[in-house]
Amino acid sequence: MIVVDAGVLVLALTSSTPQGDAARAVLKGDDGWLAPAHMPGEVLRTLHKAVLRGQLNPEDAEVAADAVTALAIEYVLPDALLLRTAWSWRHNISLYDGLYVAVAAERSAAIVTIDGRLASATDQLGIPVAITVL
Protein backbone atom coordinates (compact mmCIF):
# COMPACT_ATOMS: atom_id res chain seq x y z
CA MET A 1 0.00 0.00 0.00
CA ILE A 2 1.30 3.44 -0.96
CA VAL A 3 0.28 7.03 -0.40
CA VAL A 4 0.46 8.81 -3.75
CA ASP A 5 1.60 12.44 -3.66
CA ALA A 6 -0.08 14.81 -6.15
CA GLY A 7 3.24 15.74 -7.73
CA VAL A 8 4.17 12.17 -8.58
CA LEU A 9 0.72 11.56 -10.06
CA VAL A 10 0.98 14.66 -12.26
CA LEU A 11 4.42 13.53 -13.40
CA ALA A 12 3.15 10.02 -14.17
CA LEU A 13 0.18 11.37 -16.14
CA THR A 14 1.92 14.08 -18.14
CA SER A 15 5.66 13.50 -18.52
CA SER A 16 7.43 11.50 -21.22
CA THR A 17 10.78 12.01 -19.46
CA PRO A 18 12.73 9.30 -17.62
CA GLN A 19 11.29 10.75 -14.38
CA GLY A 20 7.77 10.27 -15.75
CA ASP A 21 8.67 6.69 -16.68
CA ALA A 22 10.02 6.11 -13.16
CA ALA A 23 6.86 7.54 -11.61
CA ARG A 24 4.66 5.29 -13.75
CA ALA A 25 6.77 2.25 -12.89
CA VAL A 26 6.51 2.90 -9.15
CA LEU A 27 2.76 3.42 -9.33
CA LYS A 28 2.27 0.27 -11.42
CA GLY A 29 4.24 -1.66 -8.80
CA ASP A 30 1.49 -1.31 -6.19
CA ASP A 31 -2.25 -1.42 -6.73
CA GLY A 32 -3.21 -0.20 -3.25
CA TRP A 33 -3.24 3.58 -3.60
CA LEU A 34 -4.17 5.98 -0.80
CA ALA A 35 -4.26 9.77 -0.69
CA PRO A 36 -5.72 12.49 1.50
CA ALA A 37 -9.06 13.70 0.15
CA HIS A 38 -7.63 17.01 -1.11
CA MET A 39 -5.20 15.29 -3.52
CA PRO A 40 -7.35 15.26 -6.71
CA GLY A 41 -7.98 19.00 -6.36
CA GLU A 42 -4.26 19.54 -5.96
CA VAL A 43 -3.60 17.53 -9.14
CA LEU A 44 -6.21 19.43 -11.15
CA ARG A 45 -4.83 22.78 -9.91
CA THR A 46 -1.34 21.74 -11.01
CA LEU A 47 -2.60 20.68 -14.45
CA HIS A 48 -4.39 24.02 -14.85
CA LYS A 49 -1.28 25.98 -13.86
CA ALA A 50 0.84 23.98 -16.32
CA VAL A 51 -1.56 24.89 -19.15
CA LEU A 52 -1.53 28.57 -18.17
CA ARG A 53 2.28 28.56 -18.15
CA GLY A 54 2.46 26.86 -21.55
CA GLN A 55 4.09 23.75 -20.04
CA LEU A 56 1.21 21.45 -21.00
CA ASN A 57 -1.21 21.65 -23.87
CA PRO A 58 -4.92 21.81 -23.01
CA GLU A 59 -5.71 18.49 -24.70
CA ASP A 60 -3.11 16.62 -22.63
CA ALA A 61 -4.36 18.32 -19.48
CA GLU A 62 -7.90 17.18 -20.31
CA VAL A 63 -6.73 13.58 -20.77
CA ALA A 64 -4.83 13.72 -17.46
CA ALA A 65 -7.85 15.23 -15.67
CA ASP A 66 -10.05 12.42 -17.01
CA ALA A 67 -7.51 9.87 -15.77
CA VAL A 68 -7.48 11.42 -12.28
CA THR A 69 -11.23 11.01 -11.98
CA ALA A 70 -11.07 7.39 -13.18
CA LEU A 71 -8.22 6.12 -10.97
CA ALA A 72 -8.90 3.66 -8.17
CA ILE A 73 -7.52 5.67 -5.28
CA GLU A 74 -8.85 5.40 -1.74
CA TYR A 75 -9.29 8.98 -0.59
CA VAL A 76 -8.96 9.43 3.16
CA LEU A 77 -11.10 12.15 4.69
CA PRO A 78 -9.40 14.41 7.23
CA ASP A 79 -10.85 13.31 10.56
CA ALA A 80 -9.84 14.87 13.88
CA LEU A 81 -6.88 12.52 14.37
CA LEU A 82 -5.48 13.12 10.88
CA LEU A 83 -5.83 16.89 11.25
CA ARG A 84 -4.24 16.95 14.71
CA THR A 85 -1.36 14.79 13.50
CA ALA A 86 -0.72 17.02 10.48
CA TRP A 87 -0.98 20.10 12.72
CA SER A 88 1.59 18.68 15.13
CA TRP A 89 4.12 18.50 12.29
CA ARG A 90 3.45 22.07 11.05
CA HIS A 91 6.97 23.21 11.97
CA ASN A 92 8.53 20.48 9.81
CA ILE A 93 6.19 20.30 6.80
CA SER A 94 3.20 22.11 5.37
CA LEU A 95 -0.27 21.13 6.54
CA TYR A 96 -1.10 19.75 3.09
CA ASP A 97 2.03 17.58 3.06
CA GLY A 98 1.40 16.66 6.67
CA LEU A 99 -1.91 15.12 5.64
CA TYR A 100 -0.10 12.80 3.20
CA VAL A 101 2.29 11.79 5.97
CA ALA A 102 -0.52 11.34 8.50
CA VAL A 103 -2.37 9.04 6.07
CA ALA A 104 0.82 7.02 5.62
CA ALA A 105 1.35 6.78 9.36
CA GLU A 106 -2.26 5.83 10.06
CA ARG A 107 -2.36 3.13 7.36
CA SER A 108 1.24 1.88 7.73
CA ALA A 109 1.93 2.80 4.12
CA ALA A 110 4.91 4.27 2.32
CA ILE A 111 4.79 7.61 0.50
CA VAL A 112 5.63 7.99 -3.18
CA THR A 113 6.70 11.56 -3.89
CA ILE A 114 8.81 13.79 -6.11
CA ASP A 115 9.12 16.41 -3.37
CA GLY A 116 12.57 16.20 -1.77
CA ARG A 117 11.50 18.24 1.28
CA LEU A 118 8.49 15.99 1.86
CA ALA A 119 10.66 12.88 1.50
CA SER A 120 13.22 14.24 3.95
CA ALA A 121 10.62 15.28 6.53
CA THR A 122 8.82 11.96 6.12
CA ASP A 123 12.04 10.06 6.68
CA GLN A 124 12.83 12.14 9.79
CA LEU A 125 9.39 11.26 11.18
CA GLY A 126 10.08 7.56 10.67
CA ILE A 127 7.54 7.06 7.86
CA PRO A 128 8.86 4.99 4.93
CA VAL A 129 9.32 6.69 1.59
CA ALA A 130 8.72 4.15 -1.16
CA ILE A 131 10.70 6.20 -3.64
CA THR A 132 11.51 9.78 -4.38
CA VAL A 133 11.31 10.27 -8.13
CA LEU A 134 13.61 13.19 -8.91
Side-chain angles (χ1 to χ4, degrees):
M1 184 135 324
I2 56 174
V3 175
V4 180
D5 175 45
V8 82
L9 186 56
V10 169
L11 186 64
L13 292 173
T14 64
S15 178
S16 60
T17 65
Q19 293 84 3
D21 294 339
R24 285 184 289 281
V26 170
L27 295 177
K28 286 180 184 176
D30 195 314
D31 61 358
W33 295 7
L34 299 166
H38 73 277
M39 188 270 266
E42 199 175 351
V43 170
L44 295 178
R45 181 199 66 190
T46 302
L47 294 172
H48 178 65
K49 282 184 172 182
V51 170
L52 293 176
R53 292 179 181 147
Q55 299 167 327
L56 184 65
N57 72 51
E59 295 80 18
D60 290 340
E62 193 65 38
V63 169
D66 288 344
V68 170
T69 61
L71 290 171
I73 300 173
E74 180 184 344
Y75 295 110
V76 180
L77 293 172
D79 62 13
L81 177 61
L82 223 57
L83 290 169
R84 288 180 199 273
T85 302
W87 178 252
S88 73
W89 295 329
R90 70 189 177 279
H91 300 295
N92 299 5
I93 52 179
S94 74
L95 183 64
Y96 289 118
D97 287 347
L99 289 169
Y100 287 96
V101 178
V103 168
E106 180 180 278
R107 300 291 183 93
S108 299
I111 293 182
V112 178
T113 185
I114 60 169
D115 184 331
R117 289 183 313 161
L118 174 58
S120 177
T122 301
D123 187 53
Q124 290 174 4
L125 292 166
I127 309 297
V129 178
I131 189 167
T132 303
V133 181
L134 298 174

